[in-house]
Amino acid sequence: MSAPSIEKTLTPKETFIYKDLIGPFFNPNWHFHPEFQISYIMEGEGTRFIGDHVQNFKKGDLVMTGPNLPHLWRSDNVYFKKDSGLSTRGLVIYFDHVLLNEPLLEMEEFYKINKLVAHSLRGIEFHGETRDLIIKFLLELDEQKGFKRILKLLEILDTLANSSEYTMLASPNYMNAFKGGDAEKMRKVYDYVMTNFKTNISLDEAAGLLNMTTTSFCRYFKPRANKTFTRFVNEIRIGHARKLLLEDNFNISQISYECGYNALSNFNRQFKSITEMCPLEYRKLFLNIQTPV
């Protein structure tokens, strides 16, 4: 993948900011910034990209990302259609590393906070009772002023640091190797895949978007994405398949076709490679129903 854009969210006089983001869709640009970020999705669905992690998101998504970790919550294509009637909403905290500087993190009392900071460099998704409690704190944060806002943020971080209800997102060996100046290339590749994954995805067309040969494109893409372009496309397709399986409106063959696979055997093979189970097992696990193939 091409490089994300680099953003700065805080002014020199701010240690953290709290935003209630409402719009027709979330920021569609792959980016990173030097601040920590805590994001809660109140409304909206789409695909979440954090480092080399790719997964669907929906209402209730709660994630913490560390400094300079590339990320994107890309709304589903339907949100970009004119007069769709859809909207998104997210509660987001950005806070500076000065709140959690090294001398402080080295103190015994901050052992768990220090561990949280380290984990955030890969991105962390929280769930269960932890998520419910953090939502309550986020809503209360908007009512706080001055130093009380700092105290509420520290309460949020302490709750996250003491939780066992979390999932790490980017892979353990992920490193941000991106360089500035490639944001437009990233947008082109993402838009192409997200628009065409239900039909044929052409490696030649993807390479052509960046004025590269297929060989150059593959060499360019893999070290930045920590995966091949083919694997990336399959993760997008299987992510969409997961959503369709949980909606229970199609049988497995129909879902295979809807996700861009012409051969059911290939769909089953790619699904198991990514989720470690077959599509029907996935549906039974989450819906506890039996659907004929």
Side-chain angles (χ1 to χ4, degrees):
M1 288 181 294
S2 304
S5 58
I6 305 171
E7 296 187 353
K8 179 75 171 136
T9 59
L10 299 178
T11 69
K13 292 185 177 181
E14 293 175 316
T15 54
F16 89 96
I17 55 175
Y18 169 80
K19 291 186 177 182
D20 188 347
L21 303 175
I22 301 175
F25 48 79
F26 290 118
N27 178 3
N29 297 312
W30 175 247
H31 65 280
F32 64 91
H33 43 72
E35 294 84 13
F36 293 88
Q37 179 174 326
I38 299 173
S39 305
Y40 171 65
I41 306 301
M42 294 192 72
E43 295 292 340
E45 295 184 357
T47 305
R48 181 181 64 205
F49 303 86
I50 297 178
D52 60 357
H53 159 89
V54 180
Q55 190 171 319
N56 302 124
F57 76 84
K58 59 183 179 179
K59 180 179 178 179
D61 191 76
L62 177 65
V63 169
M64 178 177 176
T65 53
N68 300 317
L69 176 62
H71 54 271
L72 164 65
W73 277 256
R74 191 189 191 281
S75 303
D76 282 338
N77 288 336
V78 66
Y79 285 85
F80 294 92
K81 293 182 179 179
K82 185 179 180 180
D83 301 324
S84 69
L86 299 172
S87 64
T88 61
R89 184 181 181 188
L91 303 180
V92 184
I93 295 174
Y94 303 94
F95 64 96
D96 195 275
H97 63 87
V98 297
L99 280 174
L100 302 173
N101 57 62
E102 272 192 43
L104 192 65
L105 292 175
E106 290 174 357
M107 299 295 181
E108 183 178 347
E109 294 85 353
F110 282 79
Y111 171 77
K112 290 185 177 180
I113 295 287
N114 194 11
K115 186 177 179 181
L116 175 71
V117 167
H119 283 173
S120 74
L121 298 178
R122 288 174 52 195
I124 320 169
E125 179 180 11
F126 293 92
H127 46 84
E129 294 181 1
T130 301
R131 179 183 60 189
D132 297 338
L133 188 56
I134 294 302
I135 294 168
K136 175 177 176 291
F137 289 158
L138 286 173
L139 294 173
E140 292 173 351
L141 184 62
D142 194 37
E143 302 172 358
Q144 304 298 324
K145 304 296 181 183
F147 189 66
K148 289 185 177 180
R149 286 169 63 88
I150 300 291
L151 293 177
K152 182 59 68 174
L153 173 59
L154 292 176
E155 186 176 9
I156 289 172
L157 294 175
D158 181 63
T159 301
L160 295 178
N162 284 279
S163 173
S164 60
E165 300 174 303
Y166 66 86
T167 303
M168 303 298 297
L169 300 180
S171 59
N173 63 340
Y174 176 78
M175 292 183 63
N176 181 7
F178 296 124
K179 299 177 182 179
D182 289 331
E184 179 63 14
K185 292 180 181 179
M186 184 62 171
R187 184 193 64 78
K188 288 180 179 180
V189 174
Y190 267 47
D191 285 351
Y192 172 71
V193 174
M194 298 302 294
T195 301
N196 297 287
F197 73 86
K198 295 183 181 181
T199 56
N200 291 326
I201 293 285
S202 167
L203 180 58
D204 288 337
E205 286 188 21
L209 291 172
L210 306 187
N211 296 316
M212 295 180 180
T213 65
T214 56
T215 301
S216 297
F217 176 77
C218 290
R219 289 175 178 170
Y220 179 83
F221 188 93
K222 187 175 181 179
R224 290 164 174 80
N226 206 28
K227 66 190 72 173
T228 66
F229 179 69
T230 299
R231 175 74 178 192
F232 175 74
V233 172
N234 279 319
E235 288 184 356
I236 298 297
R237 286 174 165 165
I238 297 307
H240 185 61
R242 287 176 172 180
K243 293 174 65 175
L244 296 181
L245 283 165
L246 299 186
E247 291 173 1
D248 191 34
N249 294 324
F250 303 100
N251 62 39
I252 307 301
S253 295
Q254 290 172 320
I255 291 174
S256 171
Y257 180 77
E258 281 290 315
C259 295
Y261 294 99
N262 294 324
L264 180 59
S265 59
N266 186 30
F267 170 66
N268 287 331
R269 181 169 59 254
Q270 297 299 337
F271 194 97
K272 191 166 186 177
S273 172
I274 291 171
T275 67
E276 299 184 347
M277 64 182 74
C278 72
L280 195 56
E281 289 174 330
Y282 184 88
R283 171 173 272 173
K284 287 180 179 179
L285 176 65
F286 287 95
L287 297 181
N288 196 27
I289 62 174
Q290 187 171 358
T291 303
V293 178

